[in-house]
């Protein structure tokens, strides 16, 4: 079921994803999805999906907690940062990409819906660096797989 | 201006969209400046410059964490102006992956370099039709530039 779901997602994205591999210029592009599952469950699912993809959750930025402490009302909003084995290599090849790393997925409540957004690592691809492009594609596939698992509601 | 083809795929599961490319000669998507100081001094000066501009340092972390190699990892100073943050998220919650504000201190050989995202460029897909959000991003970008200048004086 998981494999079919991921395959469906990949197929749908392949049909519509025409991001050009221009270094840094497409950095604003992102993946978005939503689920009707509760926020807390979705955050847990994101963390589980990241680990299941072979990556490591580094930390979670509790944006909502900071805002409330500062006196603002907000719905739950978290950013999950995660590490991949290639981060160090990418930064050594292109130090300026460090501002976009580690990779992150934002999870936020929108009424009863939980929404997620993640930048597409395809933006790291380079016309002059085949290795960087390969890593960017691998990371991009990783993001899609993570989101597919979250959509499927996988939890530990 | 070269334009990336914009494709909006609405799917049951998720949507993706591509953004316009930069025109030739536009400002760089990443701001960078070399520091005349060592890493520790640069990070300290960075924190001071951030707080001098009414931001609060929320975390100082490494870009990656690998046992035995952490010392080489860039240092990321995360900071926040909660008033601006609240205002920005009220306009568009999809900016999350760009948050919090941050500047990276990276040592490459003997040279320490600071890198900061140029939000005026990177957030274009969010600000194109939102002058309020564009103003916030431009404001933060200007703060970044002033912080970088001050750190490296």
């Amino acid at each position: 079921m998981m494999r079919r779901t991921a395959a469906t997602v990949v197929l749908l994205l392949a049909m519509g994803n025409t991001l050009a591999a221009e270094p840094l210029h497409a950095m604003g592009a992102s993946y978005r999805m939503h689920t009707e599952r509760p926020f807390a469950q979705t955050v847990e699912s994101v963390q589980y999906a990241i680990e299941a993809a072979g990556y490591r959750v580094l930390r979670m930025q509790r944006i909502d907690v900071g805002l409330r402490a500062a006196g603002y009302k907000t719905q739950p909003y978290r950013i999950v940062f995660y590490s991949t084995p290639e981060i160090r290599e990418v930064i050594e090849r292109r130090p300026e990409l460090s501002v976009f790393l580690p990779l992150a997925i934002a999870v936020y409540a929108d009424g009863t819906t939980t929404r997620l957004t993640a930048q597409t690592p395809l933006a790291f691809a380079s016309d002059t660096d085949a290795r960087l492009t390969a890593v960017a594609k691998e990371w991009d596939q990783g993001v899609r797989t993570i989101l597919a698992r979250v959509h499927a509601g996988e939890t530990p | 201006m070269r334009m990336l083809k914009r494709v909006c795929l609405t799917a049951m599961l998720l949507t993706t969209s591509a953004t316009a490319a930069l025109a030739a000669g536009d400002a760089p998507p990443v701001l960078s400046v070399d520091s005349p100081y060592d890493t520790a001094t640069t990070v300290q000066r960075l924190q001071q410059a951030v707080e001098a501009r009414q931001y609060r340092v929320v975390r100082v972390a490494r870009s990656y964490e690998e046992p035995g190699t952490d010392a080489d990892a860039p240092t990321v100073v995360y900071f926040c102006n909660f008033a601006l943050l609240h205002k920005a998220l009220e306009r568009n919650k999809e900016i999350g992956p760009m948050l919090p504000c941050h500047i990276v201190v990276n040592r490459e050989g003997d040279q320490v370099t600071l890198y900061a995202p140029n939000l005026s460029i990177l957030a274009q897909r969010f600000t194109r039709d939102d002058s309020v959000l564009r103003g916030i991003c431009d404001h933060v970008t200007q703060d970044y530039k002033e912080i970088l200048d001050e750190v490296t004086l």
Side-chain angles (χ1 to χ4, degrees):
Chain A
M1 170 65 179
M2 180 58 227
R3 190 176 296 177
R4 189 163 54 215
T5 302
T8 302
V9 171
V10 170
L11 178 61
L12 288 170
L13 291 172
M15 288 164 59
N17 190 346
T18 58
L19 285 169
E22 297 200 44
L24 304 181
H25 291 218
M27 205 55 71
S30 58
Y31 292 122
R32 290 171 280 150
M33 67 165 283
H34 67 273
T35 174
E36 298 307 312
R37 293 192 180 86
F39 174 80
Q41 181 181 341
T42 304
V43 170
E44 189 179 342
S45 188
V46 167
Q47 295 178 89
Y48 174 72
I50 287 171
E51 300 280 343
Y55 303 141
R56 188 158 62 92
V57 175
L58 279 177
R59 54 187 174 269
M60 181 159 56
Q61 191 69 44
R62 301 183 298 171
I63 297 291
D64 52 335
V65 172
L67 281 169
R68 287 195 202 104
Y72 296 96
K73 290 184 180 177
T74 179
Q75 288 195 286
Y77 198 116
R78 305 287 164 90
I79 302 172
V80 182
F81 292 95
Y82 63 98
S83 182
T84 71
E86 301 86 5
I87 277 187
R88 181 183 181 192
E89 178 188 357
V90 167
I91 290 175
E92 286 178 354
R93 295 179 91 88
R94 294 283 297 274
E96 69 273 22
L97 293 182
S98 57
V99 297
F100 306 111
L101 297 169
L103 297 174
I105 297 175
V107 188
Y108 57 96
D110 182 11
T112 58
T113 299
T114 301
R115 299 188 184 277
L116 296 87
T117 181
Q119 284 189 335
T120 168
L122 274 182
F124 298 155
S126 167
D127 293 335
T128 57
D129 190 332
R131 171 57 183 162
L132 186 59
T133 297
V135 172
K137 288 180 178 177
E138 190 177 319
W139 284 358
D140 187 75
Q141 183 58 57
V143 172
R144 299 181 189 202
T145 300
I146 290 167
L147 295 179
R149 286 183 191 269
V150 173
H151 188 271
E154 292 189 14
T155 52
Chain B
M1 178 183 287
R2 284 184 296 162
M3 294 290 290
L4 291 177
K5 185 165 65 172
R6 182 186 175 96
V7 175
C8 238
L9 176 68
T10 303
M12 270 198 327
L13 300 178
L14 44 89
T15 62
T16 65
S17 60
T19 194
L22 297 174
D26 277 357
V30 176
L31 306 172
S32 68
V33 64
D34 289 339
S35 172
Y37 308 104
D38 61 22
T39 300
T41 304
T42 301
V43 171
Q44 182 181 33
R45 289 176 65 85
L46 174 56
Q47 293 182 78
Q48 291 169 348
V50 159
E51 289 171 353
R53 273 159 190 76
Q54 310 305 313
Y55 290 88
R56 184 160 75 88
V57 174
V58 295
R59 189 192 298 265
V60 179
R62 298 286 193 174
S63 291
Y64 55 83
E65 294 171 5
E66 292 176 22
T69 64
D70 287 21
D72 298 328
T75 300
V76 189
V77 177
Y78 294 97
F79 50 96
C80 191
N81 175 308
F82 289 101
L84 288 176
L85 172 63
H86 182 257
K87 200 172 176 183
L89 288 177
E90 287 287 290
R91 303 301 299 183
N92 195 324
K93 289 183 171 52
E94 292 185 6
I95 63 173
M98 297 187 191
L99 300 175
C101 290
H102 60 283
I103 293 177
V104 179
V105 179
N106 190 40
R107 183 168 61 88
E108 302 152 43
D110 294 330
Q111 181 62 59
V112 175
T113 303
L114 297 100
Y115 295 101
N118 185 341
L119 295 179
S120 294
I121 301 300
L122 296 171
Q124 280 182 342
R125 70 179 288 265
F126 300 118
T127 63
R128 192 170 294 120
D129 300 318
D130 190 333
S131 61
V132 174
L133 187 58
R134 186 163 58 247
I136 295 170
C137 291
D138 289 346
H139 176 98
V140 174
T141 297
Q142 185 57 37
D143 282 344
Y144 277 159
K145 290 176 180 175
E146 292 176 7
I147 289 169
L148 293 177
D149 283 345
E150 183 170 323
V151 172
T152 57
L153 274 176

